[in-house]
Amino acid sequence: LVGYCTEFQISKMVRRVAELKSRQKPEGRPYRGRGLDRVNYVEPGRVICLPQQKGNLAVIVDLIDMNRVLVSGAATGRIVTPMRRLELTPYKVPIQRGMGHKKVMDIFKKSNVVALFRNSNRGRQILKQKMKRTMTDFERFELQLLKKKRNRLIKKEYNALLEGHKAALKKKADARQAVIDNSKRSKARKAALEKKPEAAPKKK
């Protein structure tokens, strides 16, 4: 490393590592830093999603090199896939590196990963995409009409809420203006009483 980097680059890397290590982790949610504190690692047993394979799930069995991994899936079988075509999930199954395809699938089926993934945001998104791909033209037309109907209802409710909000704001502004007018009237009355001339004495 010293032979290929200058002293300035080395010091910069050291400062960067110290900065990442000293960064505090927020409570209540996992910290996703850059480089050192990642939550999801590319490792054997990591469950992945393959968007190029219709969003099917698979398990990383082994790492071939820096760009390719060996995966096993129920729908895909055992294949080699590049890392740029996979999505890491927060789920992991307990397998050993290089384990056979049948054993991996047995462990994968016994785990509850599929149900957890279907209930996640990404799983629901993939399910919607599959449903849209299998729809006919008439079903798409019906979906378009239902969306228009839904948007009309949402707009109607939004306008009603907006009118109510405007009425409440107007009522509040009128009450504030009434208070201001009353204070002005009282001040004017008080000033008039102070400036009122004294009565002239009666002539005998």
Side-chain angles (χ1 to χ4, degrees):
L1 181 64
V2 177
Y4 293 98
C5 299
T6 62
E7 294 181 1
F8 175 75
Q9 291 174 340
I10 294 172
S11 61
K12 188 176 180 180
M13 287 188 289
V14 170
R15 286 197 303 270
R16 179 61 181 163
V17 171
E19 179 185 353
L20 290 173
K21 286 184 177 180
S22 63
R23 192 179 296 177
Q24 296 181 355
K25 300 181 180 180
E27 298 181 358
R29 59 180 181 178
Y31 174 71
R32 296 179 183 271
R34 288 187 294 175
L36 293 180
D37 297 306
R38 290 189 184 278
V39 176
N40 304 329
Y41 294 95
V42 179
E43 56 185 340
R46 177 66 59 187
V47 180
I48 60 172
C49 175
L50 299 172
Q52 303 288 339
Q53 302 285 340
K54 299 181 180 180
N56 293 318
L57 295 179
V59 183
I60 297 177
V61 179
D62 200 353
L63 279 72
I64 300 174
D65 53 24
M66 294 296 293
N67 299 319
R68 297 179 300 163
V69 290
L70 182 66
V71 300
S72 290
T76 61
R78 175 155 290 189
I79 59 174
V80 177
T81 181
M83 291 188 184
R84 66 177 183 274
R85 293 182 181 175
L86 57 86
E87 294 180 4
L88 297 176
T89 65
Y91 313 112
K92 186 181 176 182
V93 292
I95 66 168
Q96 295 180 357
R97 182 176 180 181
M99 187 178 285
H101 178 70
K102 291 184 179 180
K103 293 183 180 179
V104 172
M105 288 296 98
D106 291 340
I107 297 173
F108 181 74
K109 290 177 181 178
K110 290 179 182 178
S111 64
N112 198 23
V113 173
V114 178
L116 292 174
F117 183 75
R118 285 178 180 174
N119 293 328
S120 64
N121 293 332
R122 181 58 177 154
R124 288 192 289 268
Q125 184 180 5
I126 292 173
L127 182 61
K128 289 180 181 178
Q129 292 173 359
K130 288 182 179 179
M131 291 176 64
K132 285 184 178 180
R133 280 197 295 265
T134 57
M135 289 172 65
T136 61
D137 293 339
F138 183 70
E139 289 174 347
R140 291 192 186 93
F141 176 71
E142 286 183 332
L143 180 62
Q144 183 182 3
L145 294 179
L146 290 174
K147 283 185 177 180
K148 287 182 178 180
K149 185 177 180 180
R150 181 196 63 182
N151 292 336
R152 283 196 296 268
L153 293 174
I154 291 173
K155 190 174 181 180
K156 185 178 178 181
E157 292 293 331
Y158 173 76
N159 291 333
L161 292 173
L162 188 61
E163 291 296 331
H165 182 63
K166 286 182 178 180
L169 289 178
K170 186 177 180 181
K171 186 177 179 180
K172 191 175 180 181
D174 293 342
R176 190 184 298 112
Q177 189 64 32
V179 172
I180 293 172
D181 294 341
N182 290 333
S183 64
K184 285 182 179 180
R185 288 195 202 97
S186 62
K187 287 181 180 179
R189 195 179 301 113
K190 187 177 180 181
L193 291 174
E194 290 177 353
K195 292 181 181 180
K196 187 177 182 181
E198 295 180 0
K202 294 181 180 181
K203 294 181 180 181
K204 292 182 179 180

